[in-house]
Amino acid sequence: MCHERLAIVGIDTGAQPLTNEDETIVLTVNGEIYNHKQLEKQLKTPTQFKTHSDCEVILHMYQEIGTDVCAKLDGMFSWALLDTRTAESRLVIARDPIGITTLYVGRVSAHPETVFFSSELKSLNDECDIIEEFPPGHFFDSKTGEFERYFKPTWWDAERVPTAAVDYRQLRESLTAAVRKRLMAEVPYGVLLSGGLDSSLISSIAVREAARISAAAQSDTEDIDTRGARYFPRMHSFSVGLPNAPDLIAARKVAKFLKTAHHEYTYTVQEGLDTIADVIYHLETYDVTTVRASTPMYLMSRKIKSAGVKMVLSGEGSDEVFGGYLYFHYAPSAPEFHTETVNRVKNLHTSDCLRANKSTMAWGLEARVPFLDKEFLEVAMNVRPEDKL
């Protein structure tokens, strides 16, 4: 089990792999568990945590409820857990519901009983002749040798068309909660701001909630980790584009209104072309649309990391959830509109999530996506399509 850590929470004690008290269970995680404080309170057995990591709770929940821990996690993650308490060791691998983090499965035809798992294709390429993507919202259990889906939201069936009218208050509150919980950090953080509706909305909520958290008295009864907003109450915003690009002008206006510490980066067409080979190397895909969209994000991520920031909030997912792309205007009917939104969300792990994760992580920067919060999705994906058209 190998791990390269990007320390954002529990930076003083969270070195991996993580182990239980007698080191019979070993865990390595890429991701963030936003509800770790709530899960710690649900533990039935008094537990002495070894670290301040938000991920250690996975170990202790697994000891009590086994693989049922997967469905209880609220976050983005890919993790591997090795349980050596029995004669035949057990390996459990899990990936977050939407596939925000990347994870792959590798096999060798000559030894079909051997299975490899990795966050990157590169580490599997020399060993495996069969490589597949690990399905989001599933876990693999070596005890059965099977993948099992644990993420079972009410909206998953694309043919089931919701009939509930939009509840704007519920929608607003669930998105606010999604942003608020993602302010969990012990390092400088910020927001990606293009000046469009999606990123501007996330930025405005983040600025407001960070101010509220830093102004309020700290309480041990809070269900979310509020250290980020307390340690770094001033929000930084970042935008990128060609010189005089409309996005840069719009982002500048939003940043001025929100009073963020705004950072603007420009690049030339030649710089973009020179970067394509590196972008493909890190993205591990030749998909034209993904590579094109990832190039400015890749260039910006380098600048953000050099400024000392290690985590950013981003607006990915909103166009899929609400049908924001132009072609949605040509939907033949409301039910077909809804079916397309569900299919787009279910396939985000092949496009926007892959781009947001890999183009940032190439430079040691983590992108968090509030629009893909599973509780927010439960609200937004159950709004009747007529209200989204």
Side-chain angles (χ1 to χ4, degrees):
M1 297 176 74
C2 304
H3 184 270
E4 180 71 23
R5 187 182 184 214
L6 174 61
I8 293 179
V9 177
I11 57 177
D12 56 341
T13 59
Q16 295 197 31
L18 303 169
T19 61
N20 63 342
E21 191 172 349
D22 60 5
E23 299 190 349
T24 55
I25 302 178
V26 184
L27 174 72
T28 181
V29 190
N30 168 34
E32 308 291 344
I33 308 302
Y34 304 123
N35 65 335
H36 70 99
K37 291 184 71 174
Q38 295 159 273
L39 295 178
E40 289 168 16
K41 294 175 183 177
Q42 293 175 22
L43 290 170
K44 297 174 182 176
T45 306
T47 303
Q48 182 66 44
F49 280 69
K50 288 184 175 183
T51 74
H52 298 137
S53 170
D54 53 294
C55 298
E56 186 181 345
V57 72
I58 298 173
L59 276 172
H60 307 301
M61 289 295 291
Y62 170 81
Q63 284 185 281
E64 293 190 356
I65 62 175
T67 55
D68 288 345
V69 65
C70 298
K72 287 186 171 290
L73 301 177
D74 181 4
M76 59 178 195
F77 52 82
S78 295
W79 52 261
L81 182 147
L82 180 65
D83 185 350
T84 65
R85 293 176 298 175
T86 56
E88 185 175 342
S89 294
R90 182 185 190 185
L91 183 66
V92 178
I93 316 285
R95 189 180 183 190
D96 67 70
I98 303 299
I100 300 168
T101 60
T102 54
L103 191 60
Y104 302 96
V105 186
R107 299 180 189 272
V108 182
S109 298
H111 305 283
E113 73 284 357
T114 304
V115 189
F116 298 78
F117 299 92
S118 177
S119 292
E120 289 193 291
L121 292 167
K122 300 175 191 66
S123 57
L124 301 175
N125 194 50
D126 293 337
E127 298 288 341
C128 307
D129 56 359
I130 302 171
I131 302 177
E132 300 171 319
E133 188 174 9
F134 193 107
H138 286 68
F139 68 84
F140 171 85
D141 189 349
S142 65
K143 194 174 181 180
T144 63
E146 301 290 336
F147 291 88
E148 183 175 328
R149 184 160 72 91
Y150 68 84
F151 183 56
K152 301 173 182 178
T154 59
W155 54 267
W156 196 254
D157 181 3
E159 300 304 317
R160 173 193 163 273
V161 180
T163 57
V166 61
D167 183 331
Y168 290 110
R169 180 174 181 177
Q170 186 182 27
L171 200 64
R172 182 179 68 250
E173 290 177 349
S174 60
L175 183 59
T176 299
V179 173
R180 186 182 176 93
K181 71 178 74 165
R182 281 164 177 77
L183 298 177
M184 174 182 81
E186 295 177 24
V187 296
Y189 63 92
V191 291
L192 302 185
L193 181 58
S194 69
L197 178 61
D198 312 333
S199 64
S200 299
L201 185 58
I202 295 300
S203 298
S204 64
I205 296 172
V207 168
R208 184 186 66 210
E209 292 305 307
R212 286 178 175 175
I213 291 171
S214 61
Q218 189 165 359
S219 171
D220 292 332
T221 62
E222 289 178 297
D223 283 337
I224 61 169
D225 193 326
T226 59
R227 284 176 288 183
R230 296 187 187 284
Y231 294 167
F232 309 100
R234 180 76 188 277
M235 188 67 64
H236 290 257
S237 58
F238 303 90
S239 63
V240 65
L242 296 170
N244 300 314
D247 279 7
L248 294 180
I249 298 170
R252 216 175 292 152
K253 292 178 180 178
V254 176
K256 183 179 180 180
F257 178 80
L258 296 177
K259 296 181 174 60
T260 63
H262 190 57
H263 310 268
E264 186 176 292
Y265 305 113
T266 60
Y267 66 98
T268 65
V269 171
Q270 189 58 51
E271 285 174 323
L273 293 172
D274 292 342
T275 305
I276 289 176
D278 291 335
V279 170
I280 292 172
Y281 174 81
H282 287 289
L283 255 61
E284 302 177 312
T285 180
Y286 291 110
D287 179 71
V288 174
T289 302
T290 304
V291 172
R292 183 178 61 213
S294 297
T295 300
M297 197 169 193
Y298 175 85
L299 290 168
M300 178 171 57
S301 296
R302 179 183 183 182
K303 297 285 189 178
I304 294 173
K305 185 60 184 292
S306 68
V309 170
K310 296 172 72 174
M311 184 275 282
V312 289
L313 302 185
S314 189
E316 273 75 22
S318 63
D319 287 319
E320 288 77 10
V321 172
F322 294 106
Y325 294 118
L326 285 176
Y327 81 93
F328 275 98
H329 291 289
Y330 303 102
S333 65
E336 289 172 282
F337 176 98
H338 176 75
T339 297
E340 181 67 5
T341 61
V342 173
N343 290 332
R344 287 298 299 259
V345 171
K346 289 164 74 170
N347 286 293
L348 271 168
H349 61 95
T350 67
S351 54
D352 283 25
C353 286
L354 183 146
R355 169 179 56 79
N357 181 269
K358 288 189 173 181
S359 58
T360 54
M361 289 298 283
W363 296 106
L365 176 70
E366 180 179 273
R368 299 179 182 175
V369 283
F371 280 115
L372 298 181
D373 179 83
K374 67 178 185 179
E375 293 175 3
F376 174 73
L377 287 175
E378 190 64 29
V379 174
M381 296 303 289
N382 278 306
V383 173
R384 64 186 182 190
E386 289 84 358
D387 290 338
K388 295 182 179 180
L389 280 166

